[in-house]
Amino acid sequence: HWKDQSGNGNDAEQNTPGSQPQIHDGTVDTDLITENGKPALKFANDDLAFLGTDAPLTSLFFVYRGAATRNYFLYEDANQRMRWESNGAYLVKSGDYDFASGFVQDDTQKLNVILRTGSSSATGYQDGTSVATWAGLTSSNWDFNKFGATPSAVVYLQELFVWESDQSSNRPDIEENINSEYLIYQPT
């Protein structure tokens, strides 16, 4: 169960034991899964589903590590998903692929930010730097009901922040706050 700490009730859960992400790889507490010394969830063909309504992709901040092969992160079904690859990120809607170059997917921990800038556009940031833009997206429906990894992908997730409002003006402060906890791209 992933608790929505905002109090808005957008919790996420997975009731099928075989589809639940791992929090540890062994039988004792010392086998906790960590990234950069902090606890992480490991998704390997696993997902958590948002309860109630879908999560709107308006302002999204997440601490994430995936291999340099195809990784899925947010998705509704096979035709609506966000996919990360070594050469960038794709927003896939109803069979159409929208590409955003500049995102690095190299099996290292990253702080990624995606800010919706209009009904058919978005801007991406990685480790505090603007790296990508999407334009001409094929749908104004940016809602996703699951996060995790689909078959053949392994993803490690530590933080996920989703806002229904534009957080562009707060982005540097939010990134600084997250980075001070995880020390991803610069020391405090």
Side-chain angles (χ1 to χ4, degrees), residues 57-79:
L57 183 61
T58 299
S59 297
L60 178 68
F61 295 73
F62 54 103
V63 177
Y64 168 97
R65 178 174 74 86
T69 57
R70 181 179 299 175
N71 288 279
Y72 298 101
F73 175 57
L74 283 169
Y75 50 98
E76 183 102 31
D77 55 39
N79 293 318

Side-chain angles (χ1 to χ4, degrees), residues 121-143:
S121 59
T123 301
Y125 299 84
Q126 191 168 62
D127 294 344
T129 302
S130 175
V131 295
T133 59
W134 283 272
L137 297 176
T138 57
S139 173
S140 60
N141 176 7
W142 287 52
D143 294 343

Side-chain angles (χ1 to χ4, degrees), residues 79-112:
N79 293 318
Q80 180 172 311
R81 59 189 178 232
M82 182 163 288
R83 184 175 89 197
W84 299 86
E85 295 189 9
S86 59
N87 60 347
Y90 293 85
L91 184 63
V92 183
K93 307 293 276 183
S94 302
D96 294 323
Y97 292 70
D98 293 290
F99 178 67
S101 61
F103 281 92
V104 173
Q105 185 65 43
D106 61 2
D107 202 23
T108 63
Q109 186 182 42
K110 303 288 184 192
L111 169 54
N112 296 294

Side-chain angles (χ1 to χ4, degrees), residues 16-39:
T16 304
S19 297
Q20 294 172 347
Q22 290 180 285
I23 58 171
H24 92 46
D25 273 334
T27 57
V28 296
D29 289 344
T30 56
D31 293 326
L32 287 174
I33 295 169
T34 62
E35 287 292 313
N36 203 13
K38 305 281 185 177

Side-chain angles (χ1 to χ4, degrees), residues 38 175-188:
K38 305 281 185 177
E175 287 174 322
E176 183 178 332
N177 183 277
I178 294 170
N179 186 64
S180 69
E181 174 67 17
Y182 294 99
L183 303 177
I184 298 167
Y185 58 90
Q186 64 187 29
T188 56

